[in-house]
Amino acid sequence: MTAVARGPSSEGEEPAGIHARRAELWEMRARAVAGPSEKATAQQHAKGKLTARERIGLLLDPGSFHEVEQLRRHRAQGFGLEAKKPYTDGVITGWGTVEGRTVFVYAHDFRIFGGALGEAHATKIHKIMDMAIAAGAPLVSLNDGAGARIQEGVSALAGYGGIFQRNARASGVIPQISVMLGPCAGGAAYSPALTDFVFMVRETSQMFITGPDVVRAVTGEEISQNGLGGADVHAETSGVAHFAYDDEEACLAEVRYLLSMLPQNNHESPPAVRGSDAADRSTEALLDLVPVNGSRPYDMVKVIEEIVDGGDCLEVHERWARNIICALARMDGQVVGIVASQPQVLAGVLDIEASEKAARFVQMCDAFNIPIVTLLDVPGFLPGVDQEHGGIIRHGAKLLYAYCNATVPRISLVLRKAYGGAYIVMDSQSIGADLTYAWPTNEIAVMGAEGAANVIFRRQIAAAEDPEAMRTRMVKEYKAELMHPYYAAERGLVDDVIDPADTRRVLIRSLAMLRTKHADLPSRKHGNPPQ
């Protein structure tokens, strides 16, 4: 057997044999996998956190992970770094599978330099991101890091720039998912913000640009890390986090579920999963779920559960801007994106946050070839000084732009009311919906009958001996003339008025017909959406 030497041997010394070299490799790999020490691992567990490799084990199919640059070490000098050069340099990178489909991943190892990003660390992330883009497969980042490695100075900051640039290049090309499993402060928070979905874990993960100490020094406000940028704050108040969970196991299980609903890249369709729920199943229960009286609230989530396969859907941004619902589900095994008014919250009106939430979701669906079903029961845009001064015009225009720009199959269904600009914005036929349906309870109009009567007949009402009786009469007259269920159908503004019990069957057949839809946008570098 021929010996393979590492380098020049001393005079008279035999070069090591292949078996010795192999043993040396195994020992190096074992050190890399074990991490810095048992103490560091115990400290990580004491915080209620898993190690980077334990997280990867939960995310990927068993035995599928293939690590890249496991033996990479930094080359920095000074501040004691030259004496501390652990393998992996604090980030584990590679690829594996989720339900048999390739997924790329990188995971910060908080046990090594607190997961802080240095030059070698960043280069590893850049490489795995480039591989994901080239292979056309999703990228999942498991974030648990203390920001830039201060000892390496501007080189560490430049590493973040490379990550951001690749996040932008991959946007709309491959699904990008950020899972926050520890701290993420300063400029590091911008990478998750550039990705498609952000997951957080309560108590252990935080995201903020400036931490509590800086906030206290500048503004005098006292606040904890979780109060400033914890999972609940970002899931309910800021909208930065799409999902929040109590523990890492539940969080990573939901990441796997989300990946099962997404295509590998923008050239593919999401995977179909055939189940036992019949495509022509009647949705008779909808007759009792939705009150005919347009002022009575109900839970639109129950409507969605009735029409999708097995009543199963994944709601995105469930706790932020709750007056609108954005969800991924399957209908006859095919993935669809559902945008729906939620009459149970603010009567389902559109406001600034609801417009932003739905616009981003529509853009994501369009980027990844997911058909969009829109369920309308919307009384209009939320009036008020705060909304107008907050820019409801430009924020509402974001939703309008997203729908107008989408080329995937688009179907809208009016359950009850659809008034004013909100009706137009939420994928009406006039902005390009492929098919528009309505229930026989629909009211499509410029505004509600009461408001319309007050405007149109204000003189008659004011001059009447009994203004209230006149107003009631005029409201009935307006409804009879312009708001009856078939007014829009008679004018070709909806394609059909359907029986609520046929809703699932009609939507599935329509989606099947539209599956081969092809639409081209004008040639341009990119649009200039409202800000």
Side-chain angles (χ1 to χ4, degrees), residues 3-7 9 13-17 21:
V4 180
R6 177 186 299 175
S9 58
E13 182 181 334
E14 288 293 325
R21 290 295 167 84

Side-chain angles (χ1 to χ4, degrees), residues 20 38 61 65 91 104 106 111 115 129 150 154 206 231 262 284 290 295 331 339 399 407 457 460 471:
E38 291 184 4
D61 297 335
F65 182 56
V91 65
F104 289 80
Y106 68 86
R111 300 172 302 167
M129 294 180 79
I150 299 172
V154 72
Q206 303 88 28
L262 300 174
E284 196 84 19
V290 182
S295 63
M331 298 186 72
V339 179
L399 180 54
T407 60
F457 307 112
Q460 294 95 315
R471 180 180 290 106

Side-chain angles (χ1 to χ4, degrees), residues 166-318:
R166 288 166 173 82
N167 284 139
R169 184 152 53 91
S171 181
V173 178
I174 58 171
Q176 298 180 85
I177 299 173
S178 297
V179 188
M180 316 312 296
L181 301 166
C184 185
Y190 284 116
S191 177
L194 290 168
T195 60
D196 300 301
F197 299 97
V198 176
F199 287 73
M200 294 189 74
V201 176
R202 294 184 181 90
E203 302 303 323
T204 57
S205 65
Q206 303 88 28
M207 295 174 68
F208 37 70
I209 299 299
T210 54
D213 292 340
V214 176
V215 170
R216 186 184 308 112
V218 174
T219 70
E221 296 173 287
E222 294 282 347
I223 193 165
S224 66
Q225 287 196 351
N226 280 319
L228 182 63
D232 288 327
V233 168
H234 287 312
E236 295 177 12
T237 305
S238 71
V240 170
H242 299 80
F243 306 96
Y245 298 96
D246 290 330
D247 56 70
E248 295 188 16
E249 291 84 355
C251 180
L252 292 168
E254 288 299 288
V255 174
R256 286 179 58 90
Y257 180 47
L258 174 60
L259 285 166
S260 75
M261 308 279 276
L262 300 174
Q264 291 294 89
N265 55 63
N266 64 329
H267 294 297
E268 298 183 8
S269 296
V273 177
R274 296 295 176 187
S276 57
D277 200 348
D280 60 353
R281 169 173 57 80
S282 173
T283 49
E284 196 84 19
L286 294 177
L287 297 169
D288 298 319
L289 276 176
V290 182
V292 174
N293 185 340
S295 63
R296 287 184 57 193
Y298 61 94
D299 189 357
M300 184 67 83
V301 172
K302 295 186 182 299
V303 174
I304 294 170
E305 290 173 347
E306 180 64 23
I307 65 176
V308 302
D309 292 356
D312 191 20
C313 66
L314 178 63
E315 194 170 339
V316 179
H317 269 144
E318 180 179 2

Side-chain angles (χ1 to χ4, degrees), residues 85-102:
K85 294 187 174 184
Y87 294 120
T88 74
D89 198 47
V91 65
I92 299 167
T93 60
W95 77 87
T97 61
V98 172
E99 296 187 5
R101 298 192 303 153
T102 300

